[in-house]
Amino acid sequence: MEIKVPEMGESITEGSIASWSKKEGDTVQFGELLLELETDKVNLEINAEADGVLEKIYKHEGDNVQVGEAVGLIRAGAAGAASAEPAKSEAAPAPSDPKEASQAQQQPTPVQPADTAAMHASPSVRKLARERGISLQEATELAGKVSKEQISGTAGKQSASSQPASVSAPKAAAAEQNPAKPVDRQKMSRRRQTIANRLVEAQRTAAMLTTFNEVDMTAIMEVRKRRKQSFQDKHNVNLGFMSFFTKAVVGALKAFPLLNAEIDGEDILVKKFYDIGIAVASKEGLVVPVVRDADRLSFADIERSIGDLAGKARENKLSLSDLQGGTFTITNGGVFGSLLSTPILNTPQVGILGMHTIQRRPVATSEDGMENRPMMYIALSYDHRIVDGSEAVRFLVTIKNLLEDPESLLLEG
């Protein structure tokens, strides 16, 4: 029974092997995890569909695969001991000459260095060796143990020696050869490649512009201070800042609907629902899970939804449905200490709000008076193709006013 890449959604047609949980010859049971597949958006687990033995692995760690492609073979119903049978069948045929057969029995079969290297090399190392065009034997230095660093060094020496003296080797290869200047070459994950491509595409296709303002967080911090414990006791969730900002964004989007739209050819699709994406930093890179129908949710519902999505992101358990269909995005660089930034659009959306760290600064409260207030810079990046500058500025001012008067969020939200 072949192990095939399952359907993963309309927008995903390929992925790459992140890791195998089993190796060739291992006994597997129905439903047991075989491998993890990395796609542009999420990681998927592929489980065994029958009991048996993992007889063959076609695709190794790092290899790209298409939907429907076979990545391995399970011999259904086989016992674990059967994994030794292929080794017997692959043995060399006995010599027909009795004299040759006698000599073959007397001489032990040598273990080839290449075989020893292949035995110790991981799938990712074998793939790297194939890409560099070198043998595993050449990279073996210590007890047949192959490492990526050994392969990189060997590849650098081989590429340098194979080129004419008049042609200078690439700078990266030269850096790898110099032990005083070590270089660690790492392959981009599929998700990191996708993030990079999307960010470049957003800057290339959208007329992106950013406007800034600042918010006096005094009122919100006072509300949180007074209500935080009772809110926790009643709803079993913390009262954070994100629910206030989400409600403020919804109120501003209702006042300025073009920020809740997208461009489709020569048409503008103005969306009458409010699915707010919340940017979350995960181990594999930035992801933007979506809080659905945020205008219909209470503060507690929003905080609970964001907490659940952030937890799934950290555990790499987000599904495609968690990531698709957002109408506007909020990103909070303040949790990492960012004072000011220009967020990049999450296309095809035309607006993204950037939050930043809260910093106490002297603020003029009257002609003669000043106070130290908790202030936050906020930034709105928008697509100037359909959103005018004045509209963007008023949108951000609306968010500022709503946040500085938290009671108004109950009316506007």
Side-chain angles (χ1 to χ4, degrees), residues 1-219:
M1 175 183 293
E2 287 188 322
I3 306 166
K4 294 188 176 182
V5 178
E7 294 287 341
M8 298 176 286
E10 295 181 359
S11 61
I12 298 180
T13 59
E14 64 177 7
S16 58
I17 305 295
S19 63
W20 279 90
S21 299
K22 296 289 185 178
K23 61 181 182 296
E24 290 184 359
D26 283 356
T27 301
V28 299
Q29 297 180 348
F30 175 80
E32 193 172 7
L33 176 64
L34 296 176
L35 70 150
E36 189 173 14
L37 190 68
E38 183 183 26
T39 71
D40 295 346
K41 297 181 178 179
V42 295
N43 282 22
L44 300 175
E45 295 180 347
I46 297 181
N47 301 317
E49 297 184 357
D51 295 341
V53 169
L54 181 57
E55 188 170 81
K56 189 68 177 177
I57 292 178
Y58 302 147
K59 296 289 184 178
H60 299 284
E61 181 180 335
D63 289 348
N64 293 331
V65 293
Q66 304 287 329
V67 170
E69 185 176 0
V71 298
L73 177 66
I74 293 179
R75 186 148 48 92
S83 61
E85 294 180 2
K88 295 181 181 179
S89 62
E90 294 174 1
S96 57
D97 188 345
K99 184 177 180 180
E100 294 179 0
S102 176
Q103 293 176 349
Q105 292 176 356
Q106 294 175 1
Q107 297 179 357
T109 302
V111 178
Q112 297 296 329
D115 295 338
T116 304
M119 178 178 65
H120 290 284
S122 67
S124 60
V125 173
R126 290 199 295 267
K127 181 176 183 293
L128 186 56
R130 292 197 303 271
E131 292 175 347
R132 299 295 180 86
I134 66 174
S135 67
L136 292 169
Q137 181 180 355
E138 292 175 317
T140 305
E141 292 183 356
L142 298 173
K145 183 64 178 178
V146 180
S147 67
K148 290 185 177 181
E149 291 78 11
Q150 292 167 342
I151 289 180
S152 299
T154 306
K157 294 176 183 178
Q158 178 171 320
S159 61
S161 61
S162 62
Q163 292 191 12
S166 59
V167 180
S168 61
K171 292 183 179 180
E176 290 176 351
Q177 291 179 18
N178 188 347
K181 299 181 182 297
V183 174
D184 182 16
R185 185 184 295 274
Q186 298 180 356
K187 181 179 176 60
M188 269 193 185
S189 67
R190 173 173 291 274
R191 191 168 305 157
R192 176 56 61 186
Q193 294 179 42
T194 301
I195 292 172
N197 292 335
R198 283 177 59 87
L199 293 178
V200 171
E201 183 70 12
Q203 291 185 310
R204 187 182 68 84
T205 59
M208 193 167 63
L209 197 64
T210 305
T211 184
F212 303 92
N213 213 313
E214 63 178 351
V215 178
D216 185 346
M217 299 291 290
T218 301

Side-chain angles (χ1 to χ4, degrees), residues 28-29 72 79 85 191 201 207 233 266 279 298 306 336 366 374 401 410:
V28 299
Q29 297 180 348
E85 294 180 2
R191 191 168 305 157
E201 183 70 12
D233 295 340
E266 296 182 353
S298 66
I306 292 174
F336 304 109
S366 65
N401 292 336
L410 300 175

